Amino acid sequence: MRPTPQFLLSATSAAQFPDTEAPEVAFLGRSNVGKSSLLNALVGSKQAHVSATPGRTQAINFFALHEGAPGKAPTLMLADLPGYGYAKISKSISAEWPKFIEPYLADREQLALCVCLVDAKIPPQESDAQLIAYLRSIHRSILVVGTKADKLSGNEKTRSATALKDGLGIDQVLLCSAKSGLGIKEIWTELRALQM
Ligand code: GDP
């Protein structure tokens, strides 16, 4: 059975980021892209529910996965970042985003992978393209995940993947669905590959 990551803490400043050594995976996406639902599917609804608590939506919520002996340090960390808006991401990454997000992305040494969620049923969005370009400019590893793929037929899935790859300038997009479970195993495979 897959161990469940446990909610660790909510941080609203760099000083509150956990002092962990495990590789960390950040989850990023526009509001309403299905990030909470995907995290529910990945870590279990009881855990991800925490990040939907009012006041925590503008925080980075950290989850720790322990696979060693009880009490040992985590082997993997998940970081749920606040959703960004529908408008273009302005000058810096986003005017709407709390100030600690950009330093988190730029400076967090443990950050091993940025999972960028994009809605598979709509055309590529400028804000997503900007975020991906920014992450690339700071040399972050990126996994682009197309959400809500259960809403697409087989042909539509192919078309959506092509449009997202072209529009976002990426080589690969992993289509998934929190509803049907499509792609969840594949995301876990990517996460496990990073584990200490
Ligand atoms: P968040 O704002 O990114 O955390 O998005 P939510 O997880 O709250 O989801 C936003 C909306 O999309 C909700 O109405 C969800 O029910 C819906 N949604 C999320 N994931 C899926 C999915 O995999 N399939 C479908 N059909 N709807 C989804």
Side-chain angles (χ1 to χ4, degrees):
M1 213 181 77
R2 185 191 299 148
T4 309
Q6 302 291 315
F7 174 72
L8 187 63
L9 59 85
S10 272
T12 51
S13 72
Q16 295 172 345
F17 296 161
D19 184 17
T20 41
E21 286 177 13
E24 202 160 284
V25 181
F27 289 80
L28 297 135
R30 290 185 308 123
S31 305
N32 223 34
V33 71
K35 188 157 58 64
S36 313
S37 303
L38 186 74
L39 278 162
N40 279 348
L42 286 169
V43 311
S45 52
K46 243 173 114 185
Q47 298 300 322
H49 184 70
V50 176
S51 62
T53 308
R56 286 192 171 151
T57 51
Q58 287 299 94
I60 302 181
N61 296 297
F62 291 91
F63 299 84
L65 179 68
H66 293 265
E67 283 202 299
K72 283 276 162 61
T75 53
L76 189 75
M77 295 288 295
L78 307 183
D80 178 16
L81 273 73
Y84 47 93
Y86 296 95
K88 275 191 183 180
I89 297 182
S90 59
K91 292 165 202 152
S92 73
I93 292 307
S94 167
E96 296 167 51
W97 256 5
K99 286 207 165 24
F100 58 92
I101 304 291
E102 201 172 334
Y104 171 83
L105 295 172
D107 303 335
R108 181 81 169 159
E109 274 181 33
Q110 301 89 321
L111 182 53
L113 179 68
C114 294
V115 177
C116 298
L117 308 186
V118 298
D119 194 325
K121 69 178 207 318
I122 59 170
Q125 299 293 301
E126 180 64 25
S127 54
D128 296 329
Q130 285 179 357
L131 175 65
I132 288 165
Y134 169 70
L135 292 172
R136 203 176 274 137
S137 78
I138 57 170
H139 308 292
R140 289 300 188 187
S141 296
I142 300 166
L143 171 67
V144 178
V145 167
T147 61
K148 309 183 190 181
D150 58 279
K151 293 187 176 180
L152 303 175
S153 70
N155 280 341
E156 287 169 339
K157 282 195 189 78
T158 309
R159 273 201 295 274
S160 165
T162 305
L164 289 172
K165 282 191 267 187
D166 291 350
L168 301 173
I170 51 172
D171 296 332
Q172 199 208 342
V173 55
L174 205 166
L175 294 185
C176 75
S177 163
K179 209 167 177 179
S180 73
L182 177 80
I184 300 300
K185 233 167 74 186
E186 288 74 8
I187 296 174
W188 263 113
T189 302
E190 300 282 341
L191 302 188
R192 283 194 172 283
L194 301 168
Q195 254 183 301
M196 281 208 303

